[in-house]
């Protein structure tokens, strides 16, 4: 069945033309959820227990300790380590893309599962476009600059690793951007994407690509050093692109599964502009606040700069 535009979701309408009920209350609850997530977050669980085990299982060897030998092994490691890092604090915010993606699918809910799944290619494609542009560009720059980048430095400023300073700055900016996009979706601040929903998805994709600029994840650090050692900027671009594609694999699969299980009704449910604005705004605010709090308050507190509550398991 041919795809047609959803009612009340014209391309020039965007998701922010309708304010959801009680937007300020929703924003405050979402922000509180982001702070709580930053408090409860266990980097030991997501980085080592989940991330390391996933990578080791898929690759069939110790992902951290086994050397990368050759371009094919490097590209495989890039994608697998990206997927393994799905739940890390430097990537979890990608979950906020689900709301915006659902609004640019262009699917006909009456067309059933097949029509809806075909329409998934559109939002995923726009998300990937923004992401690949940034990640590929950084891969080229990273190989050309090499150890001159703080991200690859082993030095410290006092007790703080230089690479974590870069992480705090980059993720602080990204977190603020995500928070602003969430508040804009809730119509609490001006929305530059009110009539450009596709541009919103591309921008979120670019922010996801920007995760690599601040990522301190050990397996990404290993990939980065390998790319620099090759001296080939094209290898850097391809490896970083595959890393980012691995980062969004799970959220894309969950999105597709929600559409398939609901036989397209998920997209119909999200077609309501107020509901879409509420879901999108809540996710963006919660994960944006989490990103800022975790990287700019919790991480510095680990090195004696300020205070942040700690859980017994951290």
């Amino acid at each position: 069945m041919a795809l047609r535009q959803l009612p009340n979701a014209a391309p020039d309408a965007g998701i922010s033309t309708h304010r959801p009920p009680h937007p300020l209350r929703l924003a405050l609850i979402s922000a509180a959820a982001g702070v709580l997530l930053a408090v409860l977050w266990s980097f030991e669980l997501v980085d080592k227990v989940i991330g390391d085990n996933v990578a080791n299982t898929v690759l069939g060897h110790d992902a951290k300790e086994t050397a990368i030998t050759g371009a094919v092994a490097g590209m495989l490691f890039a994608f697998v380590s990206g997927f393994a890092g799905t739940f890390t604090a430097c990537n979890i915010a990608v979950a906020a893309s689900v709301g915006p993606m659902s609004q640019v699918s262009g699917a006909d809910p009456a067309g059933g599962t097949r029509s809806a799944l075909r329409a998934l290619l559109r939002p995923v494609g726009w998300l990937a476009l923004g992401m690949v542009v940034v990640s590929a560009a950084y891969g080229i720059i990273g190989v050309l600059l090499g150890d001159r980048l703080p991200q690859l430095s082993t030095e410290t400023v006092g007790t703080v690793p230089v690479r974590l300073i870069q992480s705090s700055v980059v993720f602080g900016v990204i977190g603020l951007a995500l928070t602003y996009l969430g508040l804009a979706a809730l119509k609490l601040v001006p929305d530059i994407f009110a009539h450009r929903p596709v541009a919103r998805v591309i921008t979120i994709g670019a922010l996801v690509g920007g995760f690599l600029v601040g990522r301190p994840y050990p397996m990404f650090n290993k990939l980065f050093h390998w790319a620099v050692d090759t001296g080939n900027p094209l290898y850097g671009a391809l490896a970083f692109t595959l890393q980012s594609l691995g980062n969004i694999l799970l959220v894309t699969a969950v999105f597709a599964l929600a559409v398939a299980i609901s036989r397209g009704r998920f997209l119909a449910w999200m077609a309501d502009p107020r509901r879409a604005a509420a879901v999108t705004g809540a996710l963006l605010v919660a994960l944006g606040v989490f990103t800022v709090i975790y990287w700019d308050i919790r991480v510095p507190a680990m090195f004696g700069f300020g205070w942040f509550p700690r859980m017994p398991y951290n």
Side-chain angles (χ1 to χ4, degrees):
M1 180 175 291
L3 299 181
R4 62 178 176 81
Q5 183 62 45
L6 292 172
N8 301 321
D12 62 348
I15 61 175
S16 297
T17 54
H18 294 78
R19 175 181 288 189
H22 312 295
L24 181 58
R25 181 192 305 173
L26 181 57
L28 292 174
I29 292 173
S30 300
V35 174
L36 180 61
L37 183 60
V39 173
L40 298 177
W41 191 264
S42 171
F43 59 87
E44 292 280 348
L45 173 64
V46 296
D47 286 20
K48 297 181 179 180
V49 177
I50 297 177
D52 288 2
N53 285 330
V54 167
N56 293 345
T57 300
V58 175
L59 292 174
H61 55 71
D62 191 315
K64 286 183 178 178
E65 299 301 325
T66 304
I68 300 174
T69 56
V72 174
M75 300 311 156
L76 177 62
F77 181 86
F79 184 77
V80 171
S81 61
F83 174 65
T86 297
F87 295 108
T88 58
C90 52
N91 190 72
I92 192 65
V94 73
S97 64
V98 171
M101 283 199 299
S102 67
Q103 290 302 292
V104 297
S105 66
D108 178 3
T113 304
R114 183 175 298 179
S115 172
L117 289 177
R118 282 200 305 267
L120 287 176
L121 296 177
R122 186 168 184 252
V124 172
W126 289 126
L127 182 76
L129 174 63
M131 181 186 69
V132 167
V133 168
V134 175
S135 57
Y138 189 57
I140 293 172
I141 293 170
V143 170
L144 293 176
L145 294 181
D147 291 339
R148 285 174 285 179
L149 286 171
Q151 196 170 11
L152 295 181
S153 173
T154 58
E155 297 181 358
T156 62
V157 176
T159 59
V160 184
V162 170
R163 62 190 179 88
L164 286 184
I165 295 176
Q166 179 172 331
S167 297
S168 292
V169 172
V170 171
F171 283 110
V173 172
I174 291 176
L176 289 174
L178 292 173
T179 302
Y180 185 91
L181 288 174
L183 294 174
L186 296 174
K187 296 292 288 181
L188 293 173
V189 297
D191 185 5
I192 61 175
F193 299 121
H195 304 292
R196 294 178 289 273
V198 169
R200 186 194 311 274
V201 175
I202 293 174
T203 299
I204 291 176
L207 293 173
V208 172
F211 292 168
L212 300 187
V213 182
R215 177 164 293 160
Y217 188 45
M219 279 191 277
F220 176 65
N221 186 268
K222 176 180 177 178
L223 176 70
F224 205 153
H225 278 287
W226 171 82
V228 171
D229 289 342
T230 67
N232 190 330
L234 293 180
Y235 278 181
L238 182 56
F240 282 28
T241 295
L242 289 171
Q243 170 90 182
S244 285
L245 290 174
N247 289 159
I248 67 168
L249 177 62
L250 184 60
V251 73
T252 300
V254 170
F255 188 33
L257 188 62
V259 173
I261 291 177
S262 68
R263 303 190 61 168
R265 286 189 290 272
F266 171 72
L267 294 177
W269 185 80
M270 285 291 289
D272 179 83
R274 294 177 185 271
R275 184 179 295 125
V279 172
T280 298
L283 282 172
L284 286 168
V285 169
L287 293 171
V289 168
F290 162 77
T291 302
V292 173
I293 296 296
Y294 184 89
W295 290 103
D296 291 324
I297 298 180
R298 176 170 166 173
V299 170
M302 294 177 183
F303 296 90
F305 293 91
W307 178 86
F308 195 78
R310 298 187 63 176
M311 296 292 101
Y313 45 78
N314 281 326

